[in-house]
Amino acid sequence: MKPLLLTVLAAYAVAAIHSILAFVNKRRSAERVALWTLAFGFALHTASLITDWTQYGHYPLFGLRETFSFLAWTLVATYGLVIYRYRAQALGSVTLPLVTILVFIASVARGNSNAQTEAAADLGATWLFPIHTTLLIFAYAAFFVVFIASIMYLLQERELKLKTFSAIFHRLPSLATINNIATMTVGVGWTLLTLGILTGMVWSSSRDNRVWHNDPKEIFAALTWLLYLALILYRASAGWRGRRAAWLGVVGFALVLCTFFGARLLGGYHVFG
Amino acid sequence: MEILAAPPTERFAEGTDRIADFLSRSRAVAHEDFSQHLYSHADDAAVRHVFRVASSLDSMVVGEPQVLGQVRRAYSLAVEAGTAGRVLNRLVHQAFHVAKRVRTETGIAASAVSISYMAVELGRKVFGDLKGRTVLLVGAGEMAELSAKHLISAGVSRVLVTNRTEENARQIAAEFNGEAVEFSRLAACLAEADIVICSTAANQYLITPSIAREALEMRRNRPSFFIDISVPRNIDPEVGRIPNLFVFDIDDLESVIASNIREREREAERAELIVESEVMQFQQSLRTLDIGPTLGALRQKLQDIARAEMMRQRQRLGKLSPEQERAIEALLMSTVNKISHPIINRLKSSYDSGASDDVQSWRDVFGLERDEKE
């Protein structure tokens, strides 16, 4: 459904531009425009995913095109939740451009080949598979928010320590807010990751009686899981917060990227997403 | 001191003279003694000036809101005395509106420009909301107490006070409804405090890295934030190198203030644009404030139409006697007047009830704006 996706792209682009403007100019009005166009784009995007689902007959999360589109959708959903809870619009000036780029890639990428569509239909037959991929995509989106929050924390903490405030300083949420966002999203992300890995294992064991394939993607995912677990445990037990926790949030996201893209380059059993 | 007056247009010069007379009489000062210090603005410039003053663009430190309070007080006095008429009422209300727009749409008053307010701004930057936070005052001093006052009005709920002399601590604590703590328990206090304001006459470091570390451990690494306004310093700069602790001394605060003032000046440029567009709008709305010109323009317009039509058809009537000419003229004019009479009544009543939109829409219907420009 290209025209629909293009409208979504346009709405996201407008939202992205306005959230950057809001960030630079500190304008409330631009913030409102960004929120409304984002909500509009998100509604259309949801519709577009549903029409894809009914049209192609498989869950719309398979192959490059669909994965990017779906990832963008989850990012918007996650961002919406963060905004709702913390009113930290500054996140949008990074998240929304990324969302726009993802939808752009999705709208120019080739559709799935017939072979892929068949494979998707084959895999999609078991209901566990879409749950597995959806959970993981949401986990990635949550980790992306952790990453952005960590970067913001590091930038702002550095300026507070150096006592020289650049223009960015006045535009970021407080350290406490950023810290809360990171703590909340890392918990949510890790839970989703755990569930995603578990459903993957169950699905794979029912398919070919193997829980673990030693596939690069699985290894990276396990590392990611351990790292975020360490981050959560440290935060909870040792009051380990601030800069070090933020650094771990950044490193963790590098691992997430490896899981998402790197594993694909290294080849292996997992298809994508 | 500034005086706002709305004299009738044709008696403008007389108006300024009378204000000068009033100043001279009421203060018993001779004209010559102050006349070279007078400045006056008229029309656009006057409107712009009032808007800029209310938006605190005209202040020494751009964005400080005290001036707005003064304008408010002066206006309420004028209202009580019944000296604010239609024009001034509207001008001052519009000035309040402009000031609000400037405050919300630009960052002109967003950042602190005084040391005592810096504590609130930096505290917010670290903790977000200050509700439920604890502030510790070590020592006393005007600046420290002022900072504490600002923090309390920003939501800080608990005040701890410690001092070498216990009596002083108790006194200050009573002032803020806080708790006085023995000086020997400084480390325990630090552990409870989110914000620490240090201002003593001690000439060595009171808060050393080891005390600060101990306190940080007790508060399980929750960040805290120190302001050192004492000279010489009471907080070892090394404390600032510990993760999750932030230390600002008086020099740091002053350099932040300097950069905040620069930021305000950048925002002021955007505020000037807002003021400019508001001045234009105000001038337009003033035109509907005085109904006379509108009525005149309306009559003129209708009469012109009648005369123009008459001119076009004149030839067809052939030769007419002067008497007949006058009769036709009278006929035309009375028709025009009969038609415009209800409109003029309506305009007047709209004007009296303050429905300027209504007046404006009649102006639009007859294209009066267009004609005036031509």
Side-chain angles (χ1 to χ4, degrees), chain A residues 25-27 153 156-157 160-161 163 165 169-176 236-242 244, chain B residues 105 121-122 124-128 220-223 240 242-248 252 256 260 263 270:
Chain A
N25 287 343
K26 293 187 275 192
R27 289 262 178 122
Y153 192 97
Q156 179 139 274
E157 201 252 14
L160 273 170
K161 284 284 192 196
K163 297 147 192 169
F165 302 150
F169 181 82
H170 298 286
R171 291 158 172 81
L172 291 179
S174 69
L175 284 182
S237 67
W240 207 59
R241 61 187 97 218
R244 283 183 237 164
Chain B
E105 291 178 29
E121 173 171 322
L122 290 173
R124 284 211 176 108
K125 213 60 219 180
V126 175
F127 302 113
R220 298 193 57 238
N221 273 325
R222 271 179 299 134
I242 302 171
N244 294 324
L245 297 184
F246 304 93
V247 181
F248 283 78
D252 300 329
V256 175
N260 281 354
E263 167 89 6
R270 276 178 43 202

Side-chain angles (χ1 to χ4, degrees), chain A:
Chain A
M1 284 274 87
K2 286 267 177 175
L4 194 50
L5 199 60
L6 285 180
T7 321
V8 172
L9 177 62
Y12 284 166
V14 171
I17 289 166
H18 279 87
S19 81
I20 292 172
L21 279 181
F23 187 72
V24 174
N25 287 343
K26 293 187 275 192
R27 289 262 178 122
R28 284 275 159 74
S29 52
E31 236 164 48
R32 271 196 301 274
V33 174
L35 274 184
W36 282 108
T37 45
L38 185 68
F40 174 70
F42 184 71
L44 284 186
H45 200 172
T46 313
S48 141
L49 289 174
I50 291 170
T51 45
D52 273 3
W53 194 353
T54 51
Q55 194 181 14
Y56 298 120
H58 67 89
Y59 192 68
L61 179 53
F62 201 88
L64 189 73
R65 185 171 116 82
E66 289 173 2
T67 306
F68 275 34
S69 171
F70 202 94
L71 183 59
W73 186 79
T74 48
L75 277 172
V76 176
T78 315
Y79 172 67
L81 287 178
V82 172
I83 288 294
Y84 175 72
R85 239 191 115 163
Y86 297 102
R87 316 235 156 270
Q89 258 92 346
L91 275 175
S93 55
V94 185
T95 312
L96 299 188
L98 177 75
V99 164
T100 311
I101 291 168
L102 287 174
V103 174
F104 175 73
I105 296 175
S107 63
V108 295
R110 275 179 296 120
N112 293 331
S113 66
N114 281 341
Q116 268 183 313
T117 312
E118 273 166 35
D122 175 34
L123 290 169
T126 42
W127 55 272
L128 261 179
F129 183 74
I131 294 179
H132 166 64
T133 48
T134 308
L135 284 170
L136 289 176
I137 287 274
F138 266 106
Y140 293 157
F143 290 141
F144 175 74
V145 173
V146 177
F147 169 68
I148 296 299
S150 303
I151 296 275
M152 285 180 168
Y153 192 97
L154 290 172
L155 281 177
Q156 179 139 274
E157 201 252 14
R158 203 178 102 93
E159 300 213 328
L160 273 170
K161 284 284 192 196
L162 294 179
K163 297 147 192 169
T164 47
F165 302 150
S166 67
I168 264 191
F169 181 82
H170 298 286
R171 291 158 172 81
L172 291 179
S174 69
L175 284 182
T177 310
I178 304 177
N179 192 60
N180 290 343
I181 292 174
T183 312
M184 193 266 290
T185 44
V186 83
V188 172
W190 184 81
T191 312
L192 292 171
L193 182 65
T194 312
L195 293 173
I197 292 175
L198 283 178
T199 49
M201 284 174 164
V202 173
W203 175 72
S204 135
S205 77
S206 74
R207 204 172 112 103
D208 46 23
N209 289 323
R210 278 177 72 185
V211 174
W212 187 261
H213 291 80
N214 255 342
D215 170 89
K217 199 168 191 111
E218 291 175 353
I219 294 166
F220 273 120
L223 287 177
T224 312
W225 185 82
L226 282 175
L227 184 127
Y228 282 111
L229 176 64
L231 176 53
I232 291 169
L233 287 180
Y234 263 122
R235 266 185 197 271
S237 67
W240 207 59
R241 61 187 97 218
R243 195 165 52 190
R244 283 183 237 164
W247 271 117
L248 215 50
V250 174
V251 174
F253 192 68
L255 266 180
V256 168
L257 285 182
C258 286
T259 317
F260 194 70
F261 293 110
R264 186 169 206 243
L265 301 177
L266 294 172
Y269 158 82
H270 273 83
V271 197
F272 197 72

Side-chain angles (χ1 to χ4, degrees), chain B residues 204-240:
Chain B
Q204 85 272 26
Y205 294 142
L206 296 178
I207 299 178
T208 58
S210 68
I211 292 187
R213 274 210 189 82
E214 190 189 334
L216 189 63
E217 209 163 291
M218 279 194 264
R219 50 191 279 120
R220 298 193 57 238
N221 273 325
R222 271 179 299 134
S224 51
F225 154 61
F226 297 77
I227 291 183
D228 189 357
I229 40 186
S230 34
V231 180
R233 291 182 182 191
N234 288 166
I235 301 177
D236 190 334
E238 287 297 307
V239 172

